[in-house]
Amino acid sequence: MTNHPVKNMMRLMATKIRTIADVMSDDEIDTLLAEILNANRIYTMGAGRSGLVAKSFAMRLMHLGLSAFVVGETVTPAMKPGDVIIVFSGSGATKTVADISETAKEIGGRICLITSKKDSRIGRIADCIVIIESQRDKVADESAEFEIRQMMGEHKSFAPLGTIFETTAMVFADAIISRLMEITQCRPEDLQCRHANIE
Ligand SMILES: O=P(O)(O)OC[C@H]1O[C@](O)(CO)[C@@H](O)[C@@H]1O
């Protein structure tokens, strides 16, 4: 095992994600699962890298056989009352995303927010919130993380901007998919046969 700086960054991120998972609320996760399972149609949305996570999540929901769409794409149909929109926003306040969330709320959609900021513009109108605690100083240090930091020394390059939220949200979204596979007894072959075959 070597201590290449890139490998150490990966180890630090893995440790960070584990620490965040430890403090996440079981109730919040179960509520999100119920929202997804009870939804007629599911829309996903986010800006920038958070938007990439939202797109990736919608793709897997479709592979699971659910009716899933990404906000802003050309083939996305009209939202109807009772439909669910899953919003990925670390700040909960990105203007375009908040504007669309408010429109979805006016239509009668249910808002599920994955965020680090409960007290935010989208958080205040959300029906379901899952907190990903991505602020560095609020996530308790574990000894493993401390050891890696010691090894690397002080640096400012680790996880700039929203990286901790976005990377953790991606891992969280994939874990939600795995849990939905268990609940709906969906096998990897079932996902495979829905995967695009003309890409
Ligand atoms: O997740 P938030 O707070 O809505 O922020 C999204 C913004 O963060 C970024 O993903 C940068 O980290 C941008 O691409 C995007 O503008």
Side-chain angles (χ1 to χ4, degrees):
M1 193 175 81
T2 64
N3 280 330
H4 191 288
V6 171
K7 287 160 70 174
N8 279 341
M9 294 285 184
M10 292 171 70
R11 290 175 185 126
L12 189 50
M13 180 56 84
T15 302
K16 185 66 81 178
I17 292 170
R18 187 189 180 113
T19 308
I20 293 168
D22 287 348
V23 298
M24 286 180 77
S25 155
D26 293 6
D27 286 347
E28 290 178 3
I29 295 168
D30 286 340
T31 303
L32 177 66
L33 287 166
E35 290 281 357
I36 293 170
L37 290 166
N38 293 330
N40 183 23
R41 289 188 295 198
I42 304 158
Y43 295 75
T44 73
M45 173 172 65
R49 285 164 50 102
S50 297
L52 296 177
V53 177
K55 284 186 178 187
S56 161
F57 189 49
M59 185 178 175
R60 281 282 185 259
L61 292 173
M62 178 275 285
H63 292 157
L64 273 175
L66 300 174
S67 195
F69 304 95
V70 177
V71 172
E73 296 207 338
T74 52
V75 293
T76 300
M79 191 175 195
K80 299 216 168 91
D83 287 342
V84 168
I85 181 165
I86 302 178
V87 183
F88 291 82
S89 177
S91 63
T94 300
K95 187 176 183 314
T96 50
V97 178
D99 286 349
I100 295 169
S101 298
E102 285 169 2
T103 303
K105 187 80 181 176
E106 282 162 24
I107 290 167
R110 293 188 62 75
I111 314 250
C112 297
L113 175 65
I114 320 297
T115 188
S116 295
K117 286 262 179 69
K118 189 175 189 152
D119 185 18
S120 58
R121 194 172 148 201
I122 309 171
R124 283 188 281 279
I125 60 167
D127 300 284
C128 155
I129 299 184
V130 175
I131 298 291
I132 288 178
E133 186 51 81
S134 64
Q135 285 167 278
R136 292 158 191 252
D137 51 356
K138 278 191 150 183
V139 181
D141 272 349
E142 284 185 338
S143 56
E145 175 170 339
F146 181 73
E147 274 171 34
I148 294 167
R149 279 194 181 280
Q150 290 285 91
M151 224 153 47
M152 296 171 74
E154 271 311 306
H155 55 80
K156 301 254 190 284
S157 59
F158 176 69
L161 310 180
T163 301
I164 293 176
F165 171 76
E166 293 140 8
T167 307
T168 308
M170 183 74 192
V171 172
F172 168 70
D174 277 342
I176 286 284
I177 295 296
S178 297
R179 182 63 189 139
L180 289 171
M181 283 179 71
E182 291 172 354
I183 294 169
T184 61
Q185 303 197 339
C186 196
R187 299 162 305 162
E189 310 87 87
D190 302 324
L191 274 74
Q192 183 64 54
C193 74
R194 295 189 193 96
H195 195 286
N197 55 4
I198 50 169
E199 65 183 3

